[in-house]
Amino acid sequence: MDGNKDESIRCVNIAQKFIAAGENEKAIKFLNKALRLYPLEKAKVLLNDLQNNEGGRGGGEPPPKNAEGIRQRTRGGTDQKEKAENQENEPADYTQEQLQLVKRIKKCKDYYEILGVSKEATETDLKKAYRKLALQMHPDKNKAPGATEAFKAIGNAFSVLSDPSKRKKYDVYGPETDTSHSHAHSDYTHGGYEGDISPEELFNMFFGGGFPSSGTTHYRRSRHAHHTHNFYTRDTQSESGYTLFLQLTPILLLIFLSILSSFFVSDPVFSMHRTDKYSVERKTYNLKIPYYVKEDFRPEYKGEMRRIERNVEEEYIGQLRGNCWRERSYKENLLWKARNYGDAKLYQRAQDYQTPSCDQLQKLYS
């Protein structure tokens, strides 16, 4: 509704310019359009004055007093008409493409149509569609009328469809399950389905607050939901202490068992890192992997060297595999971001990123 109000104000401004130019019929046309968009009091007053004047004159214009008045009125009317038409056809703060995108989203009937994806869309498809639309529709970038509501619709659509349980419910019952919401609210909730976070918070999660939040207002939960939450909060306060104790019992039991077991479990045979207790360095016979043992290691484990060194090598290779997986994942994420945003510097950084654990693992295998 706020977007309609902005458009209504713009129509009133154009109508005032036509009134100054003597183009009353065009002024009436724009005032009627303004009232259809939003019931502005100023539009009602201007339209009423124009209709009364038109009725008193029988639809005709009052005759000018002299020829100079005709020339002045003609010149002034032409200038004002051109300015009004230029203002209408060439808005300075948004493009026609941005306005068309806003209109398309506001006409959509369901969340899949808003994001432009099919009902079989994966999580990756939803993220790609949201990223593209959110950057185009953020009100601090798109100044077209209705951009704020369209931005909310995009955020709420992704928030619902990206949640498996909410998406399943939405697919089963459809977007028209609740008709009690107002029209303005249903512009972005489509039948009462709301995400758990606001569109602006969702945008900041994706882009790290790429735009300032001054142009966007966070939508709030309904007053009914607020009262319901308070009701359940008061009811559960008396049971909170007992419930908390039950929830903490397994954790306390685990802590107790851990402390108890520490008295019966002996120290490990070796360590992969040097410490005060494990100060003697050794290397495995097969892969030459360094490890550390206690000073009394040799006489105590003399007959189990092969088993111990096999365990050392398995633990070392397991650590390399875990580190290699993290290094490759980080490099792939850098490459994906660089390609997605067209960032040449980030792409070069990803290409230069080293994976020493993977290199060491490959060296061992070869």
Side-chain angles (χ1 to χ4, degrees):
M1 202 67 179
D2 290 340
N4 292 342
K5 184 177 180 180
D6 294 339
E7 186 68 15
S8 178
I9 293 173
R10 195 173 73 88
C11 290
V12 171
N13 292 336
I14 294 174
Q16 286 180 309
K17 293 184 180 297
F18 280 128
I19 292 173
E23 300 283 345
N24 290 352
E25 291 184 3
K26 292 184 178 181
I28 291 173
K29 173 184 173 183
F30 275 94
L31 289 172
N32 284 323
K33 180 179 179 182
L35 290 174
R36 286 196 300 270
L37 291 169
Y38 191 89
L40 289 173
E41 187 64 28
K42 185 176 182 179
K44 294 179 182 179
V45 172
L46 289 174
L47 182 61
N48 186 52
D49 290 344
L50 283 177
Q51 289 175 340
N52 289 338
N53 292 336
E54 289 292 325
R57 296 196 305 267
E61 291 288 336
K65 295 181 179 180
N66 51 51
E68 183 62 27
I70 295 176
R71 286 194 297 272
Q72 290 177 353
R73 182 168 182 172
T74 302
R75 286 196 304 269
T78 302
D79 294 342
Q80 294 293 340
K81 179 180 179 181
E82 289 178 355
K83 290 181 180 178
E85 290 177 349
N86 289 338
Q87 183 177 359
E88 179 184 5
N89 296 329
E90 298 180 6
D93 51 353
Y94 61 88
T95 66
Q96 191 65 25
E97 288 77 12
Q98 290 176 324
L99 181 60
Q100 291 301 322
L101 183 58
V102 172
K103 290 181 178 179
R104 182 194 73 78
I105 291 175
K106 295 186 74 174
K107 289 179 181 178
C108 292
K109 302 299 182 182
D110 61 66
Y111 288 151
Y112 293 100
E113 188 179 358
I114 288 175
L115 295 179
V117 298
S118 66
K119 289 192 175 182
E120 293 74 29
T122 63
E123 184 178 357
T124 302
D125 297 331
L126 292 173
K127 288 181 178 179
K128 288 182 179 179
Y130 174 76
R131 285 177 183 273
K132 179 180 178 181
L133 288 173
L135 286 173
Q136 293 175 333
M137 198 54 59
H138 195 285
D140 290 328
K141 183 177 181 181
N142 188 336
K143 301 296 184 181
T148 298
E149 290 298 322
F151 176 73
K152 291 177 181 179
I154 294 167
N156 204 64
F158 176 80
S159 183
V160 171
L161 297 183
S162 61
D163 186 313
S165 60
K166 290 185 178 181
R167 181 175 180 177
K168 183 177 180 180
K169 182 180 177 183
Y170 185 80
D171 290 341
V172 171
Y173 297 105
E176 302 298 333
T177 60
D178 186 358
T179 58
S180 63
H181 289 68
S182 66
H183 175 72
H185 190 67
S186 63
D187 281 346
Y188 63 90
T189 60
H190 285 279
Y193 292 95
E194 279 190 66
D196 294 330
I197 59 176
S198 72
E200 186 66 17
E201 290 169 341
L202 179 64
F203 184 88
N204 290 337
M205 286 172 58
F206 267 81
F207 302 100
F211 296 105
S213 59
S214 59
T216 307
T217 57
H218 293 190
Y219 64 86
R220 300 175 181 175
R221 301 294 182 192
S222 66
R223 184 175 299 175
H224 174 73
H226 176 72
H227 290 320
T228 302
H229 172 73
N230 289 339
F231 173 77
Y232 283 112
T233 301
R234 291 194 299 270
D235 268 6
T236 56
Q237 281 178 349
S238 60
E239 302 178 4
S240 61
Y242 180 69
T243 304
L244 180 62
F245 175 76
L246 289 179
Q247 291 174 345
L248 291 177
T249 298
I251 300 175
L252 295 174
L253 183 60
L254 284 175
I255 294 174
F256 174 75
L257 291 176
S258 298
I259 295 173
L260 187 63
S261 63
S262 64
F263 293 104
F264 301 100
V265 178
S266 59
D267 291 334
V269 179
F270 64 89
S271 171
M272 302 302 296
H273 306 282
R274 185 191 297 273
T275 63
D276 292 338
K277 187 180 290 187
Y278 297 88
S279 57
V280 180
E281 180 178 358
R282 296 178 61 88
K283 290 187 178 180
T284 62
Y285 177 79
N286 184 25
L287 297 179
K288 309 301 180 186
I289 305 300
Y291 65 101
Y292 301 90
V293 297
K294 298 178 181 179
E295 293 182 357
D296 59 351
F297 170 77
R298 183 177 292 275
E300 186 177 354
Y301 298 100
K302 187 175 181 180
E304 303 181 37
M305 291 303 300
R306 292 186 63 182
R307 179 182 63 82
I308 293 172
E309 291 193 352
R310 185 167 61 250
N311 291 339
V312 170
E313 291 176 350
E314 287 177 355
E315 182 171 342
Y316 179 74
I317 291 175
Q319 291 177 356
L320 282 181
R321 285 175 177 168
N323 293 336
C324 177
W325 181 84
R326 285 188 288 271
E327 291 167 357
R328 285 180 176 174
S329 297
Y330 182 73
K331 185 170 185 176
E332 289 173 0
N333 285 335
L334 287 180
L335 288 170
W336 183 86
K337 288 182 179 179
R339 289 170 180 164
N340 190 47
Y341 295 109
D343 191 331
K345 291 183 178 179
L346 186 59
Y347 183 80
Q348 187 60 45
R349 176 185 165 193
Q351 291 289 351
D352 296 339
Y353 182 75
Q354 301 297 318
T355 55
S357 298
C358 298
D359 297 339
Q360 182 65 22
L361 195 61
Q362 184 64 31
K363 183 179 179 182
L364 288 176
Y365 288 154
S366 62

